[in-house]
Amino acid sequence: MTDIRVMKPKVAFFDFTSCEGCQLTVLDSLQTNPELLDVVDIVEFREAMTGHADQYDIAFIEGSCTRRSDETRLASIRSRAAVVVALGSCAHIGGINAIRNKMPLEEVRNVVYGTEAHHFDTYPARPIGAVIAVDYAIPGCPINPEEFLGIVTVLLQGRSPELPDYPVCIECKLRETVCVYHLGRACLGPVTRAGCQAICPSRGYECVGCRGLISNPNLESLSQVMAEHGLSESAAKNKLDMFLSWELENRQVKEAGNG
Ligand code: SF4
Ligand code: SF4
Ligand code: SF4
């Protein structure tokens, strides 16, 4: 990476299939923390400027890979970036884009594009880490602005950011929130990566898993808890599939391979 004492690091933002909400969160963060612009040189950011560069010290990539041409573009970004960071659930874990992988592709194409479907190249959605090497991820839908700023700071210091690998339940208990299971809501906090300060349960809503799975989720126990609270098997599956379908699917493939 460029030595910050000599030259500002070149930072770029790219978007693939997404709602662009994570880039908007970055823009918000820059407005409230403009001092960041004193220490980095933003060289590409379609949502905010028209510039272009050939090399990047840090490339933040938002969105999922959903078509063959995305692979070429991702490979090109990777070849020009010292560090690649997946920005938000779509890029990190496939996010809600991967729900469509549960349906026949032709049906999805027809629902979205109707009679014009043949004009659009598309295939099952994947996180960018399934296509190129990704160095770090900033989870969430959308990302948390404080976490974004914290991770940028760590990267600029030449260190490696680390994400919590314990469940949202820990943060939820630390803030003494009443468990939403007691309010009749089924929550994915027991298997979801912490770091958001359990914001959804703190407002009376269940965690829907937007930050992805912890590395050793006890899914059997979660299914049991959801069943005990009256959730049918299909309702529990739908809940898990909202953000976690790609992770769950690929976990199963990996486990089957290991078995
Ligand atoms: S992670 Fe959420 S907010 Fe970010 S781009 Fe994807 S859908 Fe939008
Ligand atoms: S509300 Fe969710 S995150 Fe909080 S303790 Fe209950 S299950 Fe865990
Ligand atoms: S509580 Fe769950 S759904 Fe809400 S922000 Fe945190 S990880 Fe995402």
Side-chain angles (χ1 to χ4, degrees):
M1 191 182 297
T2 302
D3 187 336
I4 193 171
R5 291 161 300 187
V6 181
M7 197 184 286
K8 288 184 188 179
K10 287 185 167 55
V11 174
F13 294 85
F14 300 95
D15 46 81
F16 286 75
T17 302
S18 63
C19 80
E20 304 196 5
C22 288
Q23 287 183 94
L24 282 176
T25 307
V26 170
L27 285 175
D28 270 354
S29 306
L30 292 173
Q31 278 179 335
T32 47
N33 299 272
E35 64 278 5
L36 187 57
L37 297 170
D38 295 335
V39 291
V40 299
D41 186 10
I42 298 182
V43 291
E44 253 186 88
F45 195 166
R46 185 191 54 79
E47 218 173 71
M49 57 186 272
T50 52
H52 169 80
D54 292 327
Q55 299 291 325
Y56 324 108
D57 292 299
I58 311 173
F60 290 95
I61 304 182
E62 176 197 70
S64 310
C65 176
T66 62
R67 53 189 172 173
R68 209 158 298 284
S69 57
D70 288 345
E71 294 179 29
T72 314
R73 193 171 152 234
L74 280 166
S76 167
I77 295 167
R78 176 70 268 189
S79 70
R80 288 178 283 128
V83 171
V84 168
V85 182
L87 191 70
S89 299
C90 296
H92 175 212
I93 55 172
I96 52 176
N97 287 319
I99 297 173
R100 73 188 210 176
N101 300 357
K102 297 279 166 190
M103 297 167 65
L105 187 58
E106 274 316 299
E107 194 180 327
V108 173
R109 285 164 59 83
N110 290 332
V111 167
V112 177
Y113 302 117
T115 53
E116 304 302 315
H118 58 284
H119 288 303
F120 297 95
D121 171 29
T122 187
Y123 64 22
R126 289 181 290 166
I128 61 164
V131 182
I132 56 168
V134 170
D135 301 293
Y136 306 106
I138 305 182
C141 178
I143 57 163
N144 174 310
E146 282 78 36
E147 189 171 35
F148 167 73
L149 291 168
I151 287 179
V152 171
T153 305
V154 168
L155 287 173
L156 293 179
Q157 290 167 342
R159 298 186 290 128
S160 296
E162 280 182 28
L163 297 175
D165 196 14
Y166 48 82
V168 171
C169 288
I170 303 279
E171 290 175 340
C172 195
K173 292 294 101 188
L174 284 171
R175 60 191 293 173
E176 300 183 359
T177 299
V178 173
C179 180
V180 299
Y181 275 100
H182 294 305
L183 308 175
R185 290 175 177 270
C187 180
L188 301 186
V191 296
T192 302
R193 186 181 298 280
C196 60
Q197 308 309 315
I199 187 167
C200 301
S202 76
R203 284 156 174 76
Y205 295 102
E206 67 273 31
C207 170
V208 291
C210 82
R211 292 177 58 86
L213 293 171
I214 49 172
S215 57
N216 61 343
N218 190 336
L219 293 160
E220 291 73 24
S221 171
L222 177 69
S223 300
Q224 209 177 322
V225 170
M226 289 200 282
E228 280 165 12
H229 285 80
L231 218 67
S232 68
E233 207 174 308
S234 68
K237 193 173 170 312
N238 285 344
K239 190 165 269 294
L240 282 160
D241 278 346
M242 185 168 163
F243 275 100
L244 304 171
S245 65
W246 193 89
E247 279 197 297
L248 290 168
E249 182 113 341
N250 286 276
R251 228 181 119 72
Q252 279 160 12
V253 169
K254 209 166 138 196
E255 278 167 8
N258 288 341

